[in-house]
């Protein structure tokens, strides 16, 4: 029987330590090599999962030709990214640079109300006074606060400088997603096998839940926000607003974090009526009013009841994703964090659900963090 000294200093232990050390070096080295490509791969997987229903329908229409359907869908996605999305992004970058320059110089300007507002019936004089007071007070307040915002201006400039790299990553992600489309079933099977090693009893449910969450957030949150911001940017541009791209980007952010772009669109509508002729102002007002409520119309149609992730989780995902991965993290962050949230809640329910015959058997109310995690029923709902 070997002594403790022989066990500790034996050849087997030394070989085991060497193997573990080499394995650790290999894993760390691999992570360092793929780290620059993680955002691209993550966003390509999100696109592949979110657009998979469209891909399946298109493949059937084309006579079960998945490669042709993947090529057409990829070209269409590239056209959207290269066209309106790039236009919106470049406009937002210019606006961010101007704002950062004003902060650095201490010259953030708040526009004064046009004199034409005084001629409006009933509300004109009162609205002019309120706007003038707000403009004066904000201007004096900003003069005191702006010197402290210079570090924030540096962050804004860094974010704007990262926009070009982010655009390239978007393009690469679309191409990678196009390559992934035909191999969807194999990737799903691989994901199921991987989860079966971690959660054998719930691998199928967790895989369905992850897919449902990705589609819900990508289509119902990110997709709707992009559509709304693009249409808002078109309306701002038609209205002749200098910072149309920046305002559209703000609408995008507010839509993603579930606040809505109405608080940006409403002041623009008021400004339109002070600057444009009646027919043009009326048409732009109708268009922007429809855009402002577009998210309330599209989200129920796209999402149904497949997601109830708290808005705070999405907000943290937006901020954290942007800080870690730049502009592409703005879209990846809320999706990844939403998936993690939904899987964690489902795992807690599964682990803590009492078994049949236990005292107090029934749904654990204290753990019911939210209803309707996904369209797939959870195990305790089947009982």
């Amino acid at each position: 029987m070997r002594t403790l000294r022989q066990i500790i200093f034996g050849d087997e232990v030394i070989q085991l330590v060497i193997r573990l050390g080499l394995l650790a070096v290999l894993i760390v080295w691999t992570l360092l090599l793929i780290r620059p490509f993680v955002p691209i791969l993550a966003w390509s997987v999100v696109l592949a999962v979110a657009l998979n229903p469209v891909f399946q329908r298109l493949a059937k229409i084309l006579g079960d030709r998945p490669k042709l359907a993947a090529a057409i869908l990829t070209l269409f996605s590239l056209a959207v990214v290269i066209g309106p999305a790039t236009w919106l992004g470049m406009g937002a970058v210019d606006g961010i640079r101007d704002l950062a320059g004003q902060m650095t110089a201490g010259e953030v300007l708040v526009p004064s109300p046009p004199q034409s507002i005084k001629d409006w019936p009933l509300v004109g004089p009162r609205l002019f006074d309120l706007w003038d007071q707000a403009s004066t007070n904000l201007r004096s307040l900003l003069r005191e606060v702006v010197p402290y915002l210079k570090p924030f201006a540096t962050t804004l400039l860094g974010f704007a400088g990262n926009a070009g790299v982010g655009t390239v990553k978007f393009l690469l992600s679309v191409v990678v997603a196009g390559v992934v489309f035909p191999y969807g079933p194999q990737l799903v099977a691989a994901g199921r096998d991987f989860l079966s090693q971690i959660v054998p009893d719930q691998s199928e449910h967790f895989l369905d839940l992850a897919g449902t969450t990705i589609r819900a957030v990508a289509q119902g949150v990110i997709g709707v926000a992009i559509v709304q911001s693009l249409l808002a940017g078109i309306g701002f541009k038609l209205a002749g607003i200098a910072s149309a791209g920046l305002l559209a980007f703000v609408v995008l952010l507010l839509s993603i974090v579930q606040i809505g772009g109405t608080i940006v669109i409403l002041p623009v509508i008021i400004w339109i009526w002070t600057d444009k002729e009646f027919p043009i102002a009326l048409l732009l007002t109708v268009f922007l009013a429809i855009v402002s409520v577009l998210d309330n119309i599209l989200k129920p149609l796209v999402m149904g009841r497949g997601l109830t992730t708290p808005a705070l989780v999405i907000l943290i995902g937006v901020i954290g994703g942007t800080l870690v991965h730049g502009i592409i993290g703005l879209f990846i962050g809320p999706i990844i964090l939403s998936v993690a949230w939904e899987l964690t809640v489902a795992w807690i329910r599964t682990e803590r659900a009492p078994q049949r015959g236990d005292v107090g058997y029934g749904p654990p109310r204290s753990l019911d963090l939210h209803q309707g995690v996904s369209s797939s029923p959870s195990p305790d709902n089947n009982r």
Side-chain angles (χ1 to χ4, degrees):
M1 193 171 186
R2 291 185 300 175
T3 63
L4 180 62
R5 184 182 182 89
Q6 291 174 330
I7 295 175
I8 294 176
F9 297 100
D11 294 339
E12 295 180 2
V13 175
I14 294 176
Q15 291 179 5
L16 178 61
V17 171
I18 294 175
R19 291 171 183 171
L20 292 177
L22 292 176
L23 180 61
V25 171
L26 182 61
I27 292 174
V28 172
W29 205 341
T30 302
L31 292 176
L32 290 176
L33 291 175
I34 67 173
R35 182 180 178 183
F37 303 98
V38 169
I40 297 174
L41 295 175
W43 186 238
S44 63
V45 171
V46 167
L47 290 176
V49 174
L51 298 177
N52 185 64
V54 179
F55 166 73
Q56 296 291 346
R57 294 192 190 99
L58 185 59
K60 289 182 179 179
I61 293 174
L62 296 174
D64 292 330
R65 288 186 281 182
K67 293 185 178 180
L68 179 59
I72 294 175
L73 194 56
T74 301
L75 292 176
F76 177 78
S77 301
L78 286 173
V80 172
V81 173
I82 295 175
T86 301
W87 167 77
L88 174 63
M90 293 301 102
V93 167
D94 293 339
I96 291 173
R97 286 175 178 167
D98 293 341
L99 179 60
Q102 293 178 9
M103 287 182 178
T104 303
E107 299 177 351
V108 178
L109 302 177
V110 178
S112 300
Q115 295 293 328
S116 59
I117 293 182
K118 289 183 178 181
D119 299 331
W120 290 9
L122 300 178
V123 297
R126 180 60 178 168
L127 181 60
F128 179 87
D129 293 338
L130 290 175
W131 189 338
D132 185 59
Q133 292 177 9
S135 174
T136 304
N137 294 334
L138 285 174
R139 193 179 293 114
S140 60
L141 176 63
L142 286 174
R143 287 197 186 99
E144 299 177 2
V145 174
V146 160
Y148 301 98
L149 296 179
K150 289 183 178 179
F152 179 67
T154 304
T155 304
L156 288 179
L157 286 175
F159 181 79
N162 187 42
V165 178
T167 302
V168 174
K169 289 182 178 180
F170 265 104
L171 295 175
L172 291 176
S173 300
V174 171
V175 175
V176 174
V179 175
V180 169
F181 279 131
Y183 303 98
Q186 293 91 325
L187 294 176
V188 171
R192 185 181 295 107
D193 294 339
F194 176 77
L195 286 176
S196 64
Q197 302 298 321
I198 303 175
V199 281
D201 297 334
Q202 295 292 326
S203 59
E204 192 73 30
H205 173 59
F206 281 7
L207 186 65
D208 293 340
L209 179 59
T212 300
T213 305
I214 290 175
R215 281 189 291 270
V217 179
Q219 298 175 3
V221 178
I222 306 298
V224 171
I226 291 175
V227 171
Q228 188 177 30
S229 62
L230 285 174
L231 293 177
I234 293 173
F236 297 158
K237 199 69 176 179
L238 292 176
I241 297 178
S243 301
L246 179 58
L247 291 179
F249 184 72
V250 175
V251 172
L252 174 67
L253 291 177
L254 295 176
S255 298
I256 291 177
V257 299
Q258 310 298 294
I259 295 176
T262 305
I263 59 177
V264 175
I265 295 175
L266 184 59
V268 171
I269 292 176
I270 295 175
W271 179 85
I272 288 173
W273 282 96
T274 66
D275 188 70
K276 304 297 180 182
E277 298 293 333
F278 177 80
I280 298 177
L282 180 60
L283 291 175
L284 290 174
T285 299
V286 172
F287 177 76
L288 290 176
I290 295 174
V291 172
S292 66
V293 299
L294 190 63
D295 56 339
N296 296 325
I297 299 174
L298 292 180
K299 283 180 181 178
L301 297 176
V302 176
M303 294 174 62
R305 58 185 182 89
L307 179 76
T308 54
T309 302
L312 180 61
V313 174
I314 296 178
L315 175 60
I316 295 174
V318 169
I319 297 174
T322 305
L323 293 176
V324 174
H325 297 300
I327 190 170
I328 197 172
L330 174 68
F331 308 103
I332 297 176
I335 294 175
I336 299 300
L337 207 58
S338 297
V339 172
W341 169 269
E342 299 290 348
L343 291 178
T344 301
V345 171
W347 176 72
I348 292 174
R349 286 178 170 179
T350 303
E351 291 294 320
R352 297 295 298 273
Q355 302 296 323
R356 291 187 183 274
D358 292 349
V359 177
Y361 171 75
R365 294 183 179 179
S366 60
L367 294 173
D368 195 7
L369 302 184
H370 59 267
Q371 295 293 335
V373 176
S374 73
S375 58
S376 301
S378 59
D380 53 345
N381 288 337
N382 290 334
R383 293 174 174 165

